[in-house]
Amino acid sequence: MSNTINPLKKPGSTKKSKEPKHLPRDEFELEEIAYILSEALEQGSMKVFTIYKQESPLKGIVTKMDGNTKLIHIKDQMHQIHKIHFLDILTISEVE
């Protein structure tokens, strides 16, 4: 018996459909999020962010918006910087 490897099939690949990297969004939603983000950056106000594939919301201040990488830098209450992809931000709300 010979152990041959099929060079066309990647190891561990299955027929399951992959989960999308980012959720598909409509243009209006994205524009609204971009507007709220730029306002939050200008004001330096604390916001609560719901992030795709993250269990708990992130509470913090937008410190930078990188147009090249589409990463939003958010400083949390412990002064740690979280770099979140723009398309992964689902909602932004005021701190209660």
Side-chain angles (χ1 to χ4, degrees), residues 4 8-12 19 34 37-38 41-42 45-46 51 54-55 60 65 71 73 79 81-82 84 86 88 91:
T4 60
L8 300 176
K9 187 174 180 182
K10 292 181 183 176
E19 197 171 333
L37 283 169
S38 55
L41 177 63
E42 235 176 70
S45 55
M46 180 79 67
I51 314 239
Q54 194 169 310
E55 285 183 29
M65 292 173 25
L71 292 177
H73 299 220
H79 301 286
I81 301 291
H82 301 262
I84 309 295
F86 171 74
D88 288 339
T91 63

Side-chain angles (χ1 to χ4, degrees), residues 50-72:
T50 306
I51 314 239
Y52 181 57
K53 292 187 179 179
Q54 194 169 310
E55 285 183 29
S56 58
L58 173 62
K59 186 190 278 189
I61 298 170
V62 177
T63 59
K64 181 180 176 184
M65 292 173 25
D66 189 335
N68 294 331
T69 61
K70 295 187 177 122
L71 292 177
I72 310 301

